[in-house]
Amino acid sequence: MKRGTKLATAGGSLVALALLAGSMTVTQPPPTGPDTAGAPMVPVGLVSFDSCTDALTELRAAATASVGPYGFAGDVALFGDRTAAIGGAESMARTFGGAPADAAGQNAGADYSTTNNHETGADEPDLVKTDGRRIVTVTGGVLRVVDPVSRRVTGRLDLAGGREELRWQDHRLLLLGDRALVLGEDPPRPADALRSIRRPGGARLLLIGLSGRPVVLGTYRIQGSTVDTRLTGDTARVAVRSYAQLEFPLEAEGTDQVRTERNRQVIARAGVEAWLPEYEWTAGPERHTGRVGCDRLSRPERMTGWSTLTVLSFDLTRDRLGDGDPVSVAADADTVYGTATSLYLAGPRPEPITGKPRWRPSSAEPVTDIYQFDTAAPGRPRFLAAGSVPGRLINQYALSEWAGHLRVATTTGEFRDDGSESESAVRVLRHDDGALVPVGMIGGLGRGERIYSVRYLGPVAYVVTFRQTDPLYALDLADPAAPVVTGELKITGYSAYLHPLPEGRLLGVGQEADAQGRTKGVQVSLFDVGDPAKPDRLDQWHLPGGWSHAEHDPHAFLYRPDTGLVALPVDAGVRLLRVSGDTIGEIGEVTHPVGGDSSRRQWHPPVRRSLVVGDVLWTVSEAGLRATDPASARSLAWIAAT
């Protein structure tokens, strides 16, 4: 059996995406040495398949080694596609946003707010978008266009097509000129789920024209679920994870060994198409189908044989989505981080295949593999480099590109009763001949705790760890080879999201806690970080028993530096706060009416998003949109989602 052509090293499970470079020749860098913390940086090569026969042989071998009596390893018990979405659906929603004080989502000089993105120039999909001329949102499976001046709906388009299950899922969207890209999931229909996996669920994309009445210009559907999407320039790049389409028997008879052998027989009979995602795209009356080809599939040296990652590229200025120019790798990723010129994909490295059943807990220390792509030009991203760091990421906020380096914050170890301890570190990597090589690190942060939030601001970083108290660490990363901790502040509770403010201030959103670490309700902390050696908390707003969606999704957070306005979803409403000088004051609360009608059960929908157009605050829920005076919290208009 041919082993294929080795294309690159120094990475892990996703370095196979070097195919995105459009070239089958990538210089192999020399193996990297040990990580500066002492953990080995094991280079892992990319192997391209010489033929579909070779691909099938190696995929079957990897899947056979990974399967157990109840399906594949880890957090997915895979019986066909009936549970295949468990891992993907959870992780696709774990990618968060946010922005520095002069970045997207702030727009101090603009008359409207934008999505609270992580980085300027890399737009992230969200539940609502505005360009100042219109507000576009999808709730209840219906896309609505609202004129913020007349405060009325000017366009409406039902995207559910009569399928009730599509009305209750989140649809996120990107907005570019007179085009909107709507991203959703197409779950398997109940009859199909009971019968077979021949028509599994998948990622569902719709290109909407907004120049007049909203109209669907084109659609795209592919087996799998969306990890995340970034829009740079006119190109949207969508990362999709798929699972092997294997129908494992549901019989409970027999020992674990017998059930495992039955599953291995299923793998032995599967064709290569079980690992190659199928897609369909339409443009007007045209309908096209296809499948990712073997020439577009590659693999790392370590793979489980049960997951595939596909990267799609779409030009949103066109009147159709096309086939997405797909490229796939037999691997996985759960974190996407993007800048105006780079795209990073990161995920846990597969464990080495051993005789130990893979569905049992492992004592191996996790390693995160990271892959960098050049997205400065339109079309498919070009592979640049790959590298690895010990530990786990909390989200995309753990990554930051600055001055030619990538900074990565991870937690290693576990806090358990057996005495094992965790700690966190920030490592600095440099792009060097196809590899992301370590150049410096600072470790020992929050021993016995884990990271809850990270914020990088140029040459400095702030890291929050928590178990019982909340150390806020200030780090100086100006010298990539010698990062240092400059200050530390210990308070009760924690901040799950950190947002920069002008004049050396930092705002933290999280939970207050007692001395034993028991949470006591949502809190907003105003930190003075002007002196990195002495971070201090100036003020605190606390609502006992409360919880904010912004703790886990910073897209829900809104800050306007021109007025000091903070709009924070708390429980079912939005609390309006104002940061002025050294204090946090409360303006009031915005709530939405109870939703529902005669055909749908009534419910109290939480307010999910806030945005500003001119001097009006708009809030969005499943029930509709409300226009509010942000200075007084007085309602100006209500638009029901009918």
Side-chain angles (χ1 to χ4, degrees):
M1 179 183 68
K2 295 181 181 180
R3 295 295 296 174
T5 304
K6 184 165 288 188
L7 300 182
T9 60
S13 60
L14 298 183
V15 71
L17 283 172
L19 288 176
L20 292 172
S23 169
M24 296 298 291
T25 303
V26 177
T27 302
Q28 178 175 323
T32 58
D35 176 78
T36 51
M41 300 286 288
V42 181
V44 181
L46 166 66
V47 178
S48 65
F49 299 111
D50 291 329
S51 67
C52 284
T53 300
D54 286 344
L56 178 59
T57 299
E58 298 195 37
L59 289 165
R60 280 178 176 171
T64 298
S66 300
V67 79
Y70 305 106
F72 284 117
D75 58 352
V76 179
L78 189 63
F79 296 102
D81 202 62
R82 281 159 282 190
T83 55
I86 295 175
E90 288 184 350
S91 66
M92 67 176 253
R94 305 297 172 263
T95 317
F96 308 124
D102 57 351
Q106 306 307 306
N107 290 324
D111 62 355
Y112 63 92
S113 60
T114 58
T115 299
N116 190 20
N117 297 315
H118 190 171
E119 297 282 5
T120 303
D123 194 19
E124 302 173 15
D126 199 13
L127 303 176
V128 62
K129 291 284 184 177
T130 184
D131 56 8
R133 298 186 297 122
R134 56 193 162 202
I135 300 170
V136 184
T137 186
V138 180
T139 56
V142 177
L143 180 141
R144 295 175 179 84
V145 181
V146 173
D147 178 4
V149 177
S150 64
R151 298 173 187 167
R152 63 183 183 89
V153 176
T154 58
R156 185 181 187 277
L157 181 63
D158 190 345
L159 305 179
R163 297 180 61 185
E164 190 66 18
E165 67 270 24
L166 295 180
R167 300 196 182 280
W168 295 101
Q169 70 171 241
D170 280 347
H171 290 81
R172 299 175 187 269
L173 58 97
L174 293 165
L175 184 63
L176 180 70
D178 289 331
R179 298 283 189 272
L181 180 66
V182 179
L183 302 103
E185 300 296 319
D186 190 10
R189 304 190 183 192
D192 296 328
L194 293 173
R195 185 170 59 249
S196 73
I197 64 165
R198 295 307 177 191
R199 296 182 63 191
R204 178 174 179 253
L205 285 68
L206 299 96
L207 181 65
I208 311 297
L210 301 173
S211 57
R213 178 178 59 87
V215 60
V216 177
L217 300 175
T219 68
Y220 188 94
R221 181 182 176 278
I222 187 170
Q223 291 172 343
S225 57
T226 305
V227 182
D228 210 344
T229 303
R230 292 295 181 273
L231 175 64
T232 55
D234 297 334
T235 305
R237 297 177 179 89
V238 183
V240 176
R241 73 190 327 179
S242 308
Y243 295 101
Q245 301 298 299
L246 300 168
E247 299 180 64
F248 293 129
L250 296 175
E251 291 86 351
E253 295 82 6
T255 64
D256 282 0
Q257 182 177 356
V258 169
R259 290 195 294 269
T260 299
E261 183 56 35
R262 282 200 295 258
N263 291 341
R264 287 175 174 170
Q265 292 172 7
V266 170
I267 295 170
R269 294 191 297 267
V272 71
E273 66 276 1
W275 286 270
L276 300 174
E278 187 177 7
Y279 59 83
E280 172 190 276
W281 64 275
T282 67
E286 301 177 37
R287 178 179 177 271
H288 306 265
T289 61
R291 189 184 295 276
V292 176
C294 296
D295 61 329
R296 294 296 186 98
L297 177 69
S298 57
R299 71 160 183 84
E301 291 182 357
R302 287 196 186 106
M303 64 175 176
T304 62
W306 61 272
S307 61
T308 302
L309 185 78
T310 301
V311 177
L312 307 166
S313 300
F314 300 101
D315 181 351
L316 298 192
T317 65
R318 300 183 61 198
D319 59 357
R320 61 183 58 199
L321 291 173
D323 66 2
D325 202 8
V327 178
S328 294
V329 58
D332 204 353
D334 55 15
T335 300
V336 175
Y337 164 65
T339 71
T341 58
S342 296
L343 182 74
Y344 293 87
L345 303 179
R349 173 182 296 177
E351 297 175 18
I353 295 175
T354 66
K356 180 180 178 180
R358 295 179 57 84
W359 60 91
R360 294 179 183 169
S362 171
S363 59
E365 182 64 52
V367 173
T368 295
D369 292 322
I370 307 168
Y371 311 88
Q372 180 187 7
F373 303 89
D374 181 359
T375 57
R380 282 185 294 167
R382 181 175 62 89
F383 174 77
L384 290 179
S388 302
V389 295
R392 301 170 297 277
L393 304 175
I394 183 174
N395 52 42
Q396 65 155 317
Y397 260 57
L399 302 166
S400 170
E401 181 186 88
W402 184 76
H405 292 81
L406 178 70
R407 292 84 62 85
V408 187
T410 60
T411 297
T412 56
E414 300 286 347
F415 37 90
R416 298 192 297 255
D417 294 335
D418 62 2
S420 58
E421 263 199 358
S422 61
E423 67 174 85
S424 298
V426 174
R427 292 173 172 81
V428 183
L429 310 179
R430 182 187 71 249
H431 176 201
D432 184 7
D433 194 20
L436 292 170
V437 298
V439 297
M441 66 89 66
I442 179 68
L445 306 177
R447 296 187 185 276
E449 303 173 342
R450 70 171 178 86
I451 290 176
Y452 270 67
S453 60
V454 185
R455 195 70 196 225
Y456 299 92
L457 300 175
V460 301
Y462 302 95
V463 179
V464 170
T465 62
F466 177 75
R467 189 178 185 185
Q468 289 182 323
T469 58
D470 169 10
L472 170 68
Y473 293 97
L475 281 65
D476 182 355
L477 308 177
D479 182 354
V484 295
V485 174
T486 58
E488 177 183 349
L489 173 66
K490 286 191 176 182
I491 55 177
T492 55
Y494 62 84
S495 296
Y497 172 64
L498 296 171
H499 195 89
L501 273 60
E503 300 179 354
R505 303 290 195 260
L506 192 68
L507 206 66
V509 178
Q511 288 278 314
E512 176 62 289
D514 62 21
Q516 286 71 47
R518 293 186 291 263
T519 57
K520 295 295 185 179
V522 65
Q523 73 170 353
V524 178
S525 297
L526 177 61
F527 298 105
D528 181 357
V529 292
D531 183 351
K534 297 179 180 179
D536 188 24
R537 183 161 70 180
L538 301 173
D539 201 4
Q540 174 195 29
W541 179 85
H542 174 221
L543 181 66
W547 177 85
S548 175
H549 193 66
E551 296 176 36
H552 303 283
D553 185 357
H555 288 161
F557 178 89
L558 174 70
Y559 170 69
R560 295 290 289 172
D562 52 346
T563 62
L565 173 70
V566 173
L568 185 71
V570 176
D571 300 331
V574 166
R575 297 292 177 127
L576 303 185
L577 310 176
R578 177 173 288 113
V579 178
S580 179
D582 297 345
T583 63
I584 304 173
E586 182 170 355
I587 300 170
E589 183 180 15
V590 177
T591 59
H592 285 196
V594 172
D597 54 31
S598 59
S599 64
R600 298 171 68 183
R601 180 171 57 87
Q602 288 194 335
W603 83 109
H604 198 164
V607 182
R608 302 284 301 278
R609 293 293 186 269
S610 303
L611 59 99
V612 169
V613 179
D615 56 359
V616 176
L617 173 76
W618 291 84
T619 50
V620 181
S621 73
E622 290 288 332
L625 292 84
R626 185 181 294 283
T628 300
D629 175 9
S632 63
R634 178 176 61 88
S635 178
L636 302 175
W638 168 250
I639 302 174
T642 57

mmCIF file of all heavy atoms in Angstrom, residues 15 46 102 106 121 170 205 242 322 335 354 471 541 557 622:
data_model
loop_
_atom_site.group_PDB
_atom_site.id
_atom_site.type_symbol
_atom_site.label_atom_id
_atom_site.label_comp_id
_atom_site.label_asym_id
_atom_site.label_seq_id
_atom_site.Cartn_x
_atom_site.Cartn_y
_atom_site.Cartn_z
ATOM 1 N N VAL A 15 -3.123 19.791 9.708
ATOM 2 C CA VAL A 15 -2.136 20.318 8.787
ATOM 3 C C VAL A 15 -2.400 19.846 7.368
ATOM 4 O O VAL A 15 -1.907 20.410 6.407
ATOM 5 C CB VAL A 15 -0.715 19.911 9.248
ATOM 6 C CG1 VAL A 15 -0.471 18.445 9.037
ATOM 7 C CG2 VAL A 15 0.346 20.733 8.555
ATOM 8 N N LEU A 46 1.565 15.690 6.888
ATOM 9 C CA LEU A 46 0.365 15.620 6.079
ATOM 10 C C LEU A 46 0.581 14.607 4.972
ATOM 11 O O LEU A 46 1.585 14.633 4.281
ATOM 12 C CB LEU A 46 0.057 16.986 5.487
ATOM 13 C CG LEU A 46 -0.967 17.024 4.356
ATOM 14 C CD1 LEU A 46 -2.321 16.634 4.876
ATOM 15 C CD2 LEU A 46 -1.003 18.397 3.739
ATOM 16 N N ASP A 102 -10.855 49.821 19.663
ATOM 17 C CA ASP A 102 -10.885 50.540 18.399
ATOM 18 C C ASP A 102 -11.293 49.628 17.247
ATOM 19 O O ASP A 102 -11.027 49.913 16.094
ATOM 20 C CB ASP A 102 -9.507 51.143 18.095
ATOM 21 C CG ASP A 102 -8.422 50.080 18.062
ATOM 22 O OD1 ASP A 102 -8.713 48.937 18.444
ATOM 23 O OD2 ASP A 102 -7.296 50.411 17.659
ATOM 24 N N GLN A 106 -17.383 48.471 18.084
ATOM 25 C CA GLN A 106 -17.251 49.701 18.857
ATOM 26 C C GLN A 106 -17.720 50.896 18.036
ATOM 27 O O GLN A 106 -18.670 51.550 18.366
ATOM 28 C CB GLN A 106 -15.791 49.887 19.276
ATOM 29 C CG GLN A 106 -15.221 48.678 19.998
ATOM 30 C CD GLN A 106 -16.071 48.268 21.157
ATOM 31 O OE1 GLN A 106 -16.363 49.087 22.008
ATOM 32 N NE2 GLN A 106 -16.479 47.038 21.202
ATOM 33 N N GLY A 121 -11.763 43.512 10.651
ATOM 34 C CA GLY A 121 -11.531 42.970 9.325
ATOM 35 C C GLY A 121 -11.891 41.518 9.163
ATOM 36 O O GLY A 121 -11.754 40.970 8.065
ATOM 37 N N ASP A 170 -31.377 28.590 15.861
ATOM 38 C CA ASP A 170 -30.710 29.858 15.596
ATOM 39 C C ASP A 170 -30.226 29.894 14.150
ATOM 40 O O ASP A 170 -29.625 28.934 13.659
ATOM 41 C CB ASP A 170 -29.512 30.049 16.524
ATOM 42 C CG ASP A 170 -29.924 30.529 17.904
ATOM 43 O OD1 ASP A 170 -31.087 30.934 18.068
ATOM 44 O OD2 ASP A 170 -29.078 30.477 18.813
ATOM 45 N N LEU A 205 -26.882 26.697 4.040
ATOM 46 C CA LEU A 205 -26.532 28.083 3.767
ATOM 47 C C LEU A 205 -27.482 28.627 2.711
ATOM 48 O O LEU A 205 -27.822 27.939 1.746
ATOM 49 C CB LEU A 205 -25.097 28.203 3.261
ATOM 50 C CG LEU A 205 -23.946 28.044 4.255
ATOM 51 C CD1 LEU A 205 -23.843 26.620 4.778
ATOM 52 C CD2 LEU A 205 -22.622 28.426 3.603
ATOM 53 N N SER A 242 -17.830 16.977 9.653
ATOM 54 C CA SER A 242 -18.731 15.893 9.283
ATOM 55 C C SER A 242 -18.270 14.608 9.962
ATOM 56 O O SER A 242 -17.113 14.463 10.340
ATOM 57 C CB SER A 242 -18.740 15.688 7.762
ATOM 58 O OG SER A 242 -18.983 16.897 7.073
ATOM 59 N N GLY A 322 -22.425 28.577 -5.656
ATOM 60 C CA GLY A 322 -21.563 27.621 -6.329
ATOM 61 C C GLY A 322 -21.273 26.418 -5.448
ATOM 62 O O GLY A 322 -21.984 26.136 -4.485
ATOM 63 N N THR A 335 -12.302 25.190 17.061
ATOM 64 C CA THR A 335 -12.092 26.610 17.301
ATOM 65 C C THR A 335 -11.608 27.284 16.022
ATOM 66 O O THR A 335 -10.687 26.786 15.369
ATOM 67 C CB THR A 335 -11.059 26.843 18.428
ATOM 68 O OG1 THR A 335 -11.530 26.243 19.629
ATOM 69 C CG2 THR A 335 -10.846 28.326 18.680
ATOM 70 N N THR A 354 -3.818 2.956 20.506
ATOM 71 C CA THR A 354 -3.205 1.915 21.338
ATOM 72 C C THR A 354 -4.207 0.787 21.511
ATOM 73 O O THR A 354 -5.313 0.820 20.983
ATOM 74 C CB THR A 354 -2.820 2.479 22.720
ATOM 75 O OG1 THR A 354 -4.020 2.841 23.422
ATOM 76 C CG2 THR A 354 -1.937 3.710 22.590
ATOM 77 N N PRO A 471 -8.090 35.302 40.186
ATOM 78 C CA PRO A 471 -6.891 36.086 39.903
ATOM 79 C C PRO A 471 -6.973 36.672 38.489
ATOM 80 O O PRO A 471 -7.166 35.944 37.519
ATOM 81 C CB PRO A 471 -5.755 35.067 40.009
ATOM 82 C CG PRO A 471 -6.351 33.843 40.626
ATOM 83 C CD PRO A 471 -7.793 33.871 40.241
ATOM 84 N N TRP A 541 -20.889 46.136 39.534
ATOM 85 C CA TRP A 541 -22.357 46.053 39.488
ATOM 86 C C TRP A 541 -22.723 44.589 39.624
ATOM 87 O O TRP A 541 -22.199 43.732 38.905
ATOM 88 C CB TRP A 541 -22.878 46.606 38.170
ATOM 89 C CG TRP A 541 -24.379 46.537 38.032
ATOM 90 C CD1 TRP A 541 -25.283 47.435 38.476
ATOM 91 C CD2 TRP A 541 -25.132 45.497 37.387
ATOM 92 N NE1 TRP A 541 -26.562 47.028 38.170
ATOM 93 C CE2 TRP A 541 -26.497 45.835 37.495
ATOM 94 C CE3 TRP A 541 -24.790 44.319 36.729
ATOM 95 C CZ2 TRP A 541 -27.515 45.038 36.977
ATOM 96 C CZ3 TRP A 541 -25.800 43.515 36.219
ATOM 97 C CH2 TRP A 541 -27.139 43.878 36.337
ATOM 98 N N PHE A 557 -22.846 41.175 23.904
ATOM 99 C CA PHE A 557 -22.373 42.341 24.656
ATOM 100 C C PHE A 557 -22.273 43.546 23.731
ATOM 101 O O PHE A 557 -21.781 43.447 22.606
ATOM 102 C CB PHE A 557 -20.994 42.030 25.250
ATOM 103 C CG PHE A 557 -20.377 43.167 26.006
ATOM 104 C CD1 PHE A 557 -20.615 43.344 27.361
ATOM 105 C CD2 PHE A 557 -19.532 44.075 25.361
ATOM 106 C CE1 PHE A 557 -20.033 44.395 28.057
ATOM 107 C CE2 PHE A 557 -18.952 45.119 26.043
ATOM 108 C CZ PHE A 557 -19.205 45.282 27.397
ATOM 109 N N GLU A 622 -36.901 36.585 20.027
ATOM 110 C CA GLU A 622 -37.770 35.812 19.151
ATOM 111 C C GLU A 622 -39.138 36.471 18.999
ATOM 112 O O GLU A 622 -39.837 36.231 18.016
ATOM 113 C CB GLU A 622 -37.941 34.393 19.704
ATOM 114 C CG GLU A 622 -36.708 33.529 19.614
ATOM 115 C CD GLU A 622 -36.398 33.099 18.192
ATOM 116 O OE1 GLU A 622 -37.340 32.996 17.385
ATOM 117 O OE2 GLU A 622 -35.219 32.869 17.890
#
